[in-house]
Amino acid sequence: MDTKVGSVDVVAVPNGDIGCPPHGGVSSVQTSSVPISFSEATLGRHLARRLVQIGVSDVFSVPGDFNLTLLDHLIAEPGLNLVGCCNELNAGYAADGYARFRGVGACVVTFTVGGLSVINAIAGAYSENLPVICIVGGPNSNDYGTNRILHHTIGLPDFSQEIRCFQTVTCFQAVVNNLEDAHELIDTAVSTALKESKPVYISISCNLPAIPHPTFSRDPVPFSLSPKFSNHMGLEAAIEAAADFLNKSVKPVMVAGPKLRVAKACNAFVELADSCGYPVAVMPSAKGMIPEHHPHFIGTYWGAVSTAFCAEIVESSDAYLFAGPIFNDYSSVGYSLLLKKEKAIILQPDRVLIGNGPTFGCVLMKDFLLGLSKRLKKNTTAYENYHRIYVPEGHPLKSAPKEALRVNVLFQHIQNMLSGDTAVIAETGDSWFNCQKLKLPKGCGYEFQMQYGSIGWSVGATLGYAQAATDKRVIACIGDGSFQVTAQDISTMIRCGQNTIIFLINNGGYTIEVEIHDGPYNVIKNWNYTALVDAIHNGEGKCWTSKVLCEEELVVAIEKATGEKKDCLCFIEVVVHKDDTSKELLEWGSRVSAANSRPPNPQ
């Protein structure tokens, strides 16, 4: 039986305990056999209805002459809100942030000049396994196959440059330049994005969106996704082999990885943890995907920069189950993890690798975890070891009156702000490490972009996430260097009436780069950030800013942001010393630097 796509479960409030999208992007469809009036049976309205059906209620856009008619038809759809962004890059980042909460996102830009601007954000979404539908207003259908040169291109009569660029960062590309196959191409693109949990590219000729066509005359034309199934015999063999492997071990552990999201296996992972009694850790890029109030949660496993006592338990274990890991140079702290393949069970979304032994394909992670939970013996040895060696974390030294604010003091106060009604967005940089140490209460969201690590991502992502998560107040931690890349869309946050709290950490440079390899290029021009945001605000909408230099001023600012100004966008510039970094960044930076500077192997 097919699993249909639609807006019912897609827009449900996610389970804050787990941190995965509420639906995995796949759920039931709102069906109707009512014929659509001929004037509404257009390509543009069909695309708009499809977006609404899969749970997209906000589309992030930048207008250009090739997409203007399409935008008219998207605006005309009652269930769709068009959010105009300041540039294409931020529109793509916003669609990324939106997809993290809602399960799918969408952006609309214009041909080539807009498409090549948004492509960096789409590449980031691809790396993070997020279904983002990137829609481009394309050339007039009559111009294809001619020798004409169009504006917004590189001056060649070949219109394929844009799609060729997108081929490596999307899982499907559709060029809609006639009405006969438009329905099929659009539906295939949308369904592929959901099935593969990757971005797709759709180009629509600028003269087509307003033209009615019989294929768009009923809503919806049957549209469904065939669910994936595990190979039953392979699943049973994998569970048996894994159970035998783990039941023979003395002190096994479980580690959650970022691909739990794409595998839609967050709940299944927690169910296994509940039944087996193993200690539970997360890789840094999986923070927020499993509940940190779980009784056996031991923190973030990140090699030498792990949460205190976490790495010791994981790396001393005689068996570890990694669910959906990504081992790259950043997550492995410059390839310095003390793990052994023969001790590991590695689960990918549709594959299981057990030690140095067999690999089982066509086995879905969710099915495997649920099956394994019924076959494992309870074993709390490793967690008891953790409990014996654990020493509660100390508190930052108390600040002297009017002492310059320290970063560890800042994050102590941010910790106290967190609840199930908040979500944290951590920008690439030292915020990775400081936010990683935050203890997330039940229901608190958490997102950052580790695999792609694009500075400036968080401004657009905060816009998109807050637009999707209307029941949460977003707290974004952004460095000054990153903010300078994408600052403009503070404007869009204000226009959308968002009440996000942004902590702008002003330390005068690219601190994460400093700790990898320092140089004069890591120092940036200081801005008057609060004055900039005040200028963007310009008296229109709700926005409040504050600049703080000491703990006393921070306390006052937070009280105001969470009290009197709780309905405003609150921008708090926090001025700290340029060398005030987390100890984890210092350790991580030196190890990544060593990995980057390895000499060539002898030929």
Side-chain angles (χ1 to χ4, degrees):
M1 181 174 150
D2 286 352
T3 301
K4 294 186 177 179
V5 175
S7 59
V8 177
D9 296 336
V10 174
V11 297
V13 176
N15 183 343
D17 290 359
I18 305 306
C20 284
H23 56 290
V26 179
S27 59
S28 57
V29 71
Q30 293 280 6
T31 58
S32 168
S33 59
V34 179
I36 296 169
S37 66
F38 185 72
S39 63
E40 292 184 335
T42 62
L43 187 157
R45 289 300 295 276
H46 174 75
L47 176 59
R49 285 190 294 271
R50 282 293 185 247
L51 293 175
V52 172
Q53 287 161 12
I54 62 172
V56 173
S57 52
D58 299 272
V59 176
F60 303 92
S61 67
V62 177
D65 59 332
F66 286 124
N67 69 16
L68 297 179
T69 304
L70 176 60
L71 296 181
D72 287 339
H73 285 76
L74 298 182
I75 290 171
E77 176 59 40
L80 208 56
N81 176 44
L82 204 65
V83 179
C85 296
C86 297
N87 60 50
E88 291 87 0
L89 179 62
N90 277 340
Y93 286 154
D96 170 313
Y98 192 92
R100 288 168 184 266
F101 186 86
R102 195 65 70 89
V104 60
C107 58
V108 184
V109 298
T110 197
F111 185 59
T112 307
V113 69
L116 299 191
S117 290
V118 79
I119 198 168
N120 185 54
I122 300 303
Y126 188 96
S127 75
E128 300 275 325
N129 298 295
L130 297 169
V132 171
I133 299 168
C134 181
I135 302 161
V136 174
N140 187 293
S141 62
N142 297 302
D143 289 326
Y144 283 91
T146 68
N147 202 37
R148 293 172 178 158
I149 294 175
L150 296 182
H151 68 288
H152 289 341
T153 70
I154 59 171
L156 298 176
D158 175 10
F159 303 156
S160 68
Q161 182 201 17
E162 183 178 76
I163 189 173
R164 284 186 280 116
C165 292
F166 273 93
Q167 281 172 341
T168 56
V169 296
T170 55
C171 65
F172 186 84
Q173 307 82 38
V175 176
V176 179
N177 53 20
N178 72 82
L179 292 173
E180 302 305 319
D181 60 357
H183 178 283
E184 180 182 356
L185 284 172
I186 289 171
D187 284 10
T188 301
V190 170
S191 59
T192 303
L194 297 174
K195 286 189 288 188
E196 301 298 326
S197 198
K198 295 280 191 184
V200 294
Y201 165 91
I202 304 175
S203 172
I204 297 179
S205 287
C206 60
N207 59 326
L208 300 184
I211 303 176
H213 192 271
T215 57
F216 309 133
S217 63
R218 299 186 72 82
D219 182 30
V221 176
F223 179 50
S224 58
L225 298 178
S226 298
K228 294 179 180 178
F229 294 103
S230 296
N231 177 287
H232 182 70
M233 293 181 66
L235 174 63
E236 284 300 313
I239 291 172
E240 183 177 349
D244 183 60
F245 184 91
L246 292 168
N247 285 332
K248 288 192 300 187
S249 63
V250 177
K251 43 184 181 179
V253 300
M254 295 172 58
V255 183
K259 289 187 179 179
L260 274 175
R261 189 203 308 261
V262 67
K264 303 168 183 55
C266 299
N267 288 338
F269 183 90
V270 174
E271 189 168 324
L272 176 60
D274 289 340
S275 66
C276 70
Y278 300 174
V280 176
V282 295
M283 298 185 75
S285 47
K287 185 176 176 70
M289 293 186 187
I290 65 166
E292 297 190 4
H293 62 274
H294 190 278
H296 285 178
F297 182 76
I298 64 172
T300 299
Y301 175 62
W302 201 354
V305 295
S306 298
T307 304
F309 311 105
C310 179
E312 292 82 356
I313 294 300
V314 172
E315 294 180 347
S316 67
S317 171
D318 57 341
Y320 15 77
L321 183 150
F322 279 84
I326 295 178
F327 295 110
N328 61 24
D329 50 341
Y330 274 15
S331 67
S332 67
V333 197
Y335 313 112
S336 65
L337 301 184
L338 301 179
L339 300 174
K340 294 183 178 179
K341 184 181 176 183
E342 61 268 20
K343 294 182 180 181
I345 295 178
I346 306 294
L347 310 183
Q348 295 300 346
D350 56 2
R351 184 163 47 90
V352 178
L353 172 63
I354 300 179
N356 287 324
T359 297
F360 300 90
C362 299
V363 174
L364 299 184
M365 187 190 297
K366 180 179 178 180
D367 296 341
F368 175 83
L369 291 170
L370 291 174
L372 188 62
S373 67
K374 299 176 176 63
R375 304 279 285 274
L376 290 185
K377 300 173 185 174
K378 193 95 170 180
N379 186 339
T380 59
T381 303
Y383 182 74
E384 290 164 6
N385 287 348
Y386 170 78
H387 192 66
R388 273 190 288 269
I389 67 173
Y390 176 75
V391 177
E393 197 171 315
H395 296 289
L397 294 174
K398 188 169 177 58
S399 299
K402 298 296 181 180
E403 177 188 344
L405 188 61
R406 299 192 307 272
V407 171
N408 55 17
V409 172
L410 165 65
F411 278 89
Q412 184 181 35
H413 286 278
I414 292 176
Q415 175 69 67
N416 295 333
M417 297 172 68
L418 301 185
S419 71
D421 298 323
T422 61
V424 176
I425 304 291
E427 175 57 80
T428 302
D430 199 20
S431 291
W432 277 3
F433 302 91
N434 288 301
C435 290
Q436 197 67 223
K437 291 183 284 187
L438 295 173
K439 294 178 175 60
L440 303 181
K442 182 177 180 179
C444 183
Y446 186 91
E447 295 293 344
F448 80 127
Q449 188 196 59
M450 185 170 190
Q451 172 60 41
Y452 203 56
S454 183
I455 67 168
W457 161 86
S458 67
V459 177
T462 295
L463 164 64
Y465 192 96
Q467 196 65 16
T470 54
D471 60 332
K472 292 187 183 295
R473 192 168 193 192
V474 177
I475 299 172
C477 300
I478 308 175
D480 51 345
S482 297
F483 184 73
Q484 288 193 8
V485 178
T486 49
Q488 305 96 310
D489 271 283
I490 292 285
S491 169
T492 312
M493 296 179 197
I494 296 170
R495 193 149 52 94
C496 291
Q498 296 180 359
N499 67 341
T500 294
I501 300 174
I502 295 175
F503 287 97
L504 188 285
I505 303 168
N506 182 354
N507 56 13
Y510 298 118
T511 303
I512 191 169
E513 313 292 5
V514 168
E515 302 309 332
I516 297 174
H517 183 91
D518 201 4
Y521 30 76
N522 291 326
V523 179
I524 62 175
K525 171 72 175 68
N526 191 36
W527 293 359
N528 187 340
Y529 294 98
T530 52
L532 173 69
V533 174
D534 287 337
I536 292 172
H537 175 212
N538 198 26
E540 297 176 0
K542 294 182 178 180
C543 177
W544 174 77
T545 65
S546 177
K547 180 179 293 189
V548 304
L549 292 88
C550 61
E551 185 175 12
E552 292 90 338
E553 293 174 354
L554 176 67
V555 169
V556 171
I558 290 175
E559 285 178 354
K560 198 160 187 177
T562 55
E564 177 187 344
K565 301 296 182 180
K566 64 182 180 182
D567 295 327
C568 296
L569 178 77
C570 295
F571 182 90
I572 302 173
E573 179 184 350
V574 182
V575 180
V576 297
H577 193 278
K578 67 181 181 67
D579 295 324
D580 187 355
T581 64
S582 64
K583 72 179 184 65
E584 290 81 7
L585 175 55
L586 296 175
E587 172 78 13
W588 179 89
S590 62
R591 290 176 180 263
V592 170
S593 175
N596 287 352
S597 58
R598 287 167 296 159
N601 289 327
Q603 296 302 311

